[in-house]
Amino acid sequence: MATRVELPAGQWAELYEPTQLPEGRRRRLKIAQMRMGSIPSFREAIRSGRFEDVAGIDAKAAIEFVDPADMEQVMSLSMEIEDTAILAYVRAWSAGPTVDAVTLLELPGEVYDALKDHVGALTKGGSAHELDTAPNPDPASPIEPSIV
């Protein structure tokens, strides 16, 4: 099931519900999130217990603990995660027949920002790059949590 959202300038998008997000899209988003762990000062903040994982950290939080030498990489990855989240959740849009990165980056800023906000509202914490990866508590779910 998809939810249609209205965007500025008369545009619209159909967004997947989090429970309906195809696995391939979900994995691309998780991979983008996990790349944050390759940044030394970011990784150190995770190890020190300041954060549980990289999925729930946004650029604003990163400023507080990331070494200034790592900031460019953190900001770049943050933007990549936002783009990946939008591309993961958008099923269709008025911007064209295909949902792709080239078209996404050609959107007017106000449309992009609104789309980022709508995607963020679908994910935990209200941020586009905070994907809820908790196991499904539904006992009828065919997928069980990993024991690894």
Side-chain angles (χ1 to χ4, degrees), residues 112-124:
Y112 178 95
D113 289 343
L115 196 49
K116 182 174 69 171
D117 291 344
H118 282 292
V119 168
L122 290 175
T123 60
K124 85 175 184 188

Side-chain angles (χ1 to χ4, degrees), residues 33-34 53-58 124 129-131 133:
Q33 292 169 337
M34 295 310 295
D53 63 17
V54 299
I57 303 170
D58 63 14
K124 85 175 184 188
H129 54 297
E130 291 181 4
L131 180 64
T133 57

Side-chain angles (χ1 to χ4, degrees), residues 64-84:
E64 295 179 23
F65 65 85
V66 171
D67 185 307
D70 295 333
M71 190 53 65
E72 181 180 349
Q73 188 178 8
V74 167
M75 296 306 289
S76 177
L77 283 173
S78 292
M79 287 185 279
E80 180 183 335
I81 290 168
E82 288 172 352
D83 292 350
T84 303

Side-chain angles (χ1 to χ4, degrees), residues 7 11-13 83 86-87 90 92-113 115:
L7 304 170
Q11 297 206 38
W12 56 267
D83 292 350
I86 292 169
L87 293 171
V90 173
W93 57 13
S94 58
T98 60
V99 176
D100 59 51
V102 172
T103 306
L104 175 65
L105 297 178
E106 291 297 320
L107 293 174
E110 69 176 351
V111 175
Y112 178 95
D113 289 343
L115 196 49

Side-chain angles (χ1 to χ4, degrees), residues 5 30-31 58 69 99 118 138 141:
V5 296
K30 287 185 71 162
I31 289 168
D58 63 14
V99 176
H118 282 292
D138 179 1
S141 176

